[in-house]
Amino acid sequence: MHEYPIDPLQFFSFVISTILLITMPHTAMAIDEIIFHNGDRISGAVVRMDKSVLQLKTEYAGTLFIAWDSISGISSDSPMRILMKEGGARTVMSITAENRNSIQAINPEAWQTGDGHLFKGEAAMSLNIDRGNTRQEEADLDLAMEWRHLNHRIKLQSELEYDTAENEKTTDRWFILAKYDNIVSSLRYYGGKVSYKTDRIADLNLRLTAGPYLGIQFINRPTTKLSTEFGVDGVKESFDALPENTYLAGSWSLDFSHTIIDDALQFYHRQKGLANVNNLNGVVLDTWTGLKIPIRGGFSTSAELKAEYSGDALAGIDPWDLAYRLKFGYLW
């Protein structure tokens, strides 16, 4: 028979580990029961509900995203903070078929209840330097920021394009847009905007627009978003070769995005336009279409086609301007 000497240090460590394992409190996932209209039930931990989608964390299938319209009620073993559609927040232990339609959000963020603010943004850059047979430099910078508090939303968007070839400017374009939205419901909002644009290569020194609009949020799910806006703008344009032009225009915009592969691939399309009410041939259109690939830590890369159309372009200037860009961005 072989005898194995006991190491006092190993024995002491074993005893301490056993005591800690026995006495240490065990944390278990909160048990919330989701009741569907058809009577089915599933359990998990409610993370939050917003934009008519409930997030439920489960041990057997990860995080589930469930349409709020399919849910009849929720019973919970821990308090839930709910935000009511008519305003105000309260704490409840259950949600029933009688009060579910009056709930806007479960476990809302601080900016939704008025206790804080939301600030987020995205910056992207495209840079190309060619020192081969042709000396060419391209620099494109995009910046978008959003601030939220209760039903108030402010958006800022800016864009800079500056390209040279053989030390001669081929693109010199600025664009700045500021918007304020008052969100009436999950479907409708209204607001006002002001924008400034210059394109010196196309002989546009200034295009200043300002006016109100109405917005409709058709889809606002985590994976798919679709909104559009219609308004009336006052427009002021200044050119080098033409006299100053002031007119009234109908304006519109469209913003669409869809996640093709979760955390891997997203398609997006944005569009904004102006139509001179006195000259429908003078339509101005800007579109951005691309595929975005999230990386890590808020970083992303995207391949984008930007198309601009100016129906009132001067003679000898192509009304269409196309740019293919590979961008690198950061989201915060």
Side-chain angles (χ1 to χ4, degrees), residues 11-26:
F11 179 77
F12 179 77
S13 299
F14 172 78
V15 172
I16 294 299
S17 299
T18 303
I19 294 174
L20 289 175
L21 185 62
I22 295 173
T23 59
M24 187 173 58
H26 295 273

Side-chain angles (χ1 to χ4, degrees), residues 268-281:
Y268 64 88
H269 175 78
R270 303 194 309 274
Q271 178 185 129
K272 62 182 184 66
L274 290 171
N276 189 336
V277 296
N278 298 318
N279 178 19
L280 295 181
N281 292 326

Side-chain angles (χ1 to χ4, degrees), residues 40-62:
D40 290 345
R41 299 167 183 254
I42 61 173
S43 61
V46 172
V47 179
R48 66 193 309 258
M49 187 279 288
D50 192 23
K51 302 173 183 175
S52 298
V53 176
L54 178 78
Q55 296 182 35
L56 183 71
K57 186 176 182 180
T58 68
E59 294 181 339
Y60 49 85

Side-chain angles (χ1 to χ4, degrees), residues 92-107:
V92 299
M93 295 296 295
S94 64
I95 295 172
T96 65
E98 287 73 27
N99 66 4
R100 61 172 299 283
N101 291 329
S102 62
I103 298 174
Q104 178 178 331
I106 300 176
N107 297 332

Side-chain angles (χ1 to χ4, degrees), residues 221-225 256-261 265-269 290-292:
R221 296 195 295 265
T223 57
T224 307
K225 300 181 186 300
F256 173 76
S257 66
H258 177 68
T259 300
I260 301 174
I261 303 175
L265 185 63
Q266 181 192 62
F267 171 82
Y268 64 88
H269 175 78
L291 292 171
K292 178 184 292 186

Side-chain angles (χ1 to χ4, degrees), residues 193-195 207-212 231-237 246-251 274:
K193 66 180 183 295
V194 59
S195 71
R207 178 180 289 125
L208 180 66
T209 71
V232 178
D233 283 4
V235 183
K236 179 180 179 181
E237 294 178 333
T246 302
Y247 58 91
L248 200 63
S251 65
L274 290 171

